[in-house]
Amino acid sequence: MQTYTTQMNAAKQGIITDVMRTVAEKEHMDVELLREKVAKGTVAIPANRNHLSIDPEGVGEGLRTKMNVNLGISKDCNDPEMELEKVRVALDMGVEAIMDLSNYGKTEQFRKELIKMSGAMIGTVPVYDVFGFFEKELKDVRPEDFLAMVRKHGEDGVDFVTIHAGMNKRASETFLENPRLMNLVSRGGSLMFAWMRLTGYDNPYFEYFDDLLDICAEFDITLSLGDACRPGGLADSTDASQIQELITLGELTKRAWAKDVQVIIEGPGHMSMDEIKANVLLEKKLCHGAPFYVLGPLVTDVAPGYDHITGAIGGAIAASAGADFLCYVTPAEHLRLPTVEDMKEGIIATKIAAHAADIAKKTPHARDWDNQMSKARVDLDWNRMFELAIDPTKARAYREHAELEDETTCSMCGKMCAILNVKEALK
């Protein structure tokens, strides 16, 4: 009987796993084709063998664009119950992934509860947890502490981990030689940069990358290779630091695949619209077709309070150009920890971006949803329109607050309704 250690290892052996069958059915894809993509690395299925409640999803080439929601406990908002309420709402709204970015106190209990209740894949940034867990100052953290925390997250059932392995000495030298307006805005990346400066050592995730891969293979953790040099403002996009790190991530991707560890590449960030397509092309070229995960990109820096919109614009462009995974952005970005309502707005905006991109990419059956809505509209079937709406609650509320002369039409057109008049004329 054939055995396998990871989904990629199984795929390379020609084994079709139950996880692959589930994803193939969701994607309307031939399971053998999906297996080939997993073996090649152009599709990743983050599914830690210890995450027993997972309803697996695939991320990558030819699949629906997936969405991630960030949440977690911070020192200024130390309210685990509020964060768990966000989890419940996000799951009800159908998100495919949740990242626990908790960075204060003993986060293990919250993480375990999140994994237990979630069918969505769970991601973390283990470096956030190092300082609270080991109760050490940054300069006192040892290389083995960073690796031990990845193992701990793997044991708990985390499906993908953000690891800033590309922020090595070479990348830090490039950053120092090429000044930026915004410097480094990646929290994990800045911690690794500061640790290297304080200790004089190279990044342990880079220096001991093979040991990291062994941990990932043991639990089938997908590596989400973080972009420590992602631009935090338009002025810094597509610069030497960002590209130098991306080259390193491409090299690390090949090493991970050689050990049957799945990889996702994280990307920008803030970026003007005309640069987005080129950045997707660069990632796909330099990282050998590995799935691409983007934060936004945010296409302008001047819209605090509306960055769910700037992110949705960039996300739609990126995904239509080939990005595979969108990290949502809320109206609270740059301002505060998002509330449940902020999170809802971010989810809806990102869902719109992902679906619009899937239509453009001609993802199988993506347009069917829109055709059903058009049919409901031509039939003036309002209840069916609400059922199909990406946000049924808001759509229904808008309709209910209208003062209608004719219940079959809307309050904008009334008796001049084009649909109604053409129907009458055709009779």
Side-chain angles (χ1 to χ4, degrees):
M1 181 179 177
Q2 290 176 304
T3 59
Y4 63 92
T5 54
T6 67
Q7 293 298 320
M8 176 172 264
N9 178 260
K12 288 179 179 179
Q13 294 185 59
I15 300 171
I16 294 173
T17 66
D18 290 342
V19 165
M20 293 179 205
R21 293 185 195 281
T22 298
V23 172
E25 185 176 347
K26 289 181 178 182
E27 299 289 344
H28 307 283
M29 178 178 283
D30 177 76
V31 71
E32 176 60 24
L33 176 59
L34 178 68
R35 183 200 64 76
E36 291 174 2
K37 291 176 183 289
V38 174
K40 189 179 176 184
T42 57
V43 165
I45 306 177
N48 186 318
R49 63 182 86 259
N50 289 339
H51 187 179
L52 303 181
S53 62
I54 193 169
D55 183 7
E57 296 281 358
V59 178
E61 182 183 57
L63 309 186
R64 288 178 296 106
T65 305
K66 304 305 187 300
M67 175 178 53
N68 172 70
V69 163
N70 290 338
L71 45 79
I73 301 163
S74 66
K75 186 173 183 179
D76 288 337
C77 291
N78 185 12
D79 188 348
E81 185 48 47
M82 183 179 79
E83 297 308 299
L84 288 174
E85 176 61 18
K86 290 181 188 176
V87 173
R88 287 186 279 268
V89 172
L91 293 173
D92 286 344
M93 295 181 75
V95 304
E96 292 91 5
I98 295 173
M99 284 202 79
D100 175 15
L101 302 187
S102 296
N103 57 58
Y104 178 70
K106 303 291 186 180
T107 60
E108 181 179 4
Q109 182 178 349
F110 176 79
R111 182 171 61 252
K112 285 183 173 180
E113 193 162 351
L114 166 63
I115 291 166
K116 183 178 180 180
M117 69 190 289
S118 176
M121 52 186 160
I122 301 300
T124 58
V125 188
V127 70
Y128 294 172
D129 214 18
V130 167
F131 312 107
F133 187 86
F134 292 110
E135 297 182 341
K136 293 181 178 181
E137 294 296 319
L138 181 59
K139 63 181 176 60
D140 298 322
V141 176
R142 309 307 300 162
E144 55 268 26
D145 295 335
F146 290 105
L147 294 173
M149 188 50 60
V150 177
R151 171 173 291 280
K152 175 59 183 164
H153 283 218
E155 291 170 347
D156 290 346
V158 171
D159 303 298
F160 64 103
V161 290
T162 293
I163 300 292
H164 298 91
M167 174 44 76
N168 57 9
K169 283 191 173 181
R170 186 178 177 187
S172 64
E173 289 167 2
T174 301
F175 164 67
L176 292 169
E177 292 166 1
N178 296 271
R180 285 176 148 194
L181 181 60
M182 285 287 293
N183 292 322
L184 299 176
V185 300
S186 161
R187 190 161 57 191
S190 66
L191 287 169
M192 297 314 305
F193 175 77
W195 185 86
M196 287 191 292
R197 298 278 286 180
L198 287 168
T199 64
Y201 296 141
D202 205 343
N203 183 339
Y205 291 135
F206 178 80
E207 189 172 2
Y208 303 104
F209 192 67
D210 286 332
D211 295 328
L212 172 66
L213 294 177
D214 289 340
I215 296 169
C216 291
E218 182 178 345
F219 301 100
D220 200 358
I221 306 170
T222 296
L223 263 184
S224 189
L225 290 173
D227 51 340
C229 296
R230 72 170 181 261
L234 301 188
D236 299 328
S237 62
T238 325
D239 70 349
S241 295
Q242 184 191 337
I243 302 306
Q244 175 61 61
E245 183 182 27
L246 191 60
I247 292 170
T248 300
L249 298 187
E251 295 166 351
L252 296 176
T253 295
K254 289 191 292 185
R255 289 173 60 183
W257 287 347
K259 285 201 168 187
D260 299 335
V261 173
Q262 300 181 103
V263 173
I264 294 171
I265 305 295
E266 296 188 10
H270 291 235
M271 181 171 292
S272 64
M273 290 191 293
D274 59 310
E275 294 183 35
I276 293 173
K277 186 174 180 180
N279 271 259
V280 176
L281 178 63
L282 276 172
E283 184 276 340
K284 292 293 181 178
K285 287 282 189 181
L286 295 175
C287 299
H288 321 291
F292 196 22
Y293 172 31
V294 294
L295 174 63
L298 280 69
V299 296
T300 178
D301 299 334
V302 298
Y306 298 91
D307 276 327
H308 59 312
I309 297 173
T310 67
I313 293 169
I317 296 170
S320 65
D324 309 287
F325 196 12
L326 302 181
C327 185
Y328 91 147
V329 180
T330 77
E333 186 79 9
H334 302 111
L335 301 171
R336 68 175 188 201
L337 193 74
T339 65
V340 172
E341 289 306 313
D342 294 331
M343 186 191 74
K344 288 180 181 178
E345 288 194 54
I347 289 173
I348 294 298
T350 309
K351 271 191 171 187
I352 294 168
H355 180 62
D358 285 344
I359 294 169
K361 287 190 288 192
K362 308 221 170 8
T363 304
H365 300 285
R367 194 182 287 264
D368 292 356
W369 186 5
D370 298 78
N371 291 342
Q372 291 176 51
M373 179 62 88
S374 293
K375 178 66 168 61
R377 283 176 173 155
V378 80
D379 291 341
L380 293 170
D381 185 344
W382 294 97
N383 286 328
R384 180 60 176 156
M385 289 183 229
F386 300 145
E387 291 171 3
L388 291 166
I390 206 162
D391 184 355
T393 302
K394 188 169 188 176
R396 193 179 295 274
Y398 271 54
R399 174 73 176 170
E400 288 174 350
H401 281 85
E403 296 181 5
L404 302 171
E405 181 183 4
D406 184 342
E407 288 292 333
T408 61
T409 65
C410 74
S411 58
M412 177 177 281
C413 298
K415 291 182 178 180
M416 294 182 67
C417 173
I419 291 171
L420 190 62
N421 289 335
V422 169
K423 275 192 166 188
E424 290 299 319
L426 289 174
K427 284 181 181 179

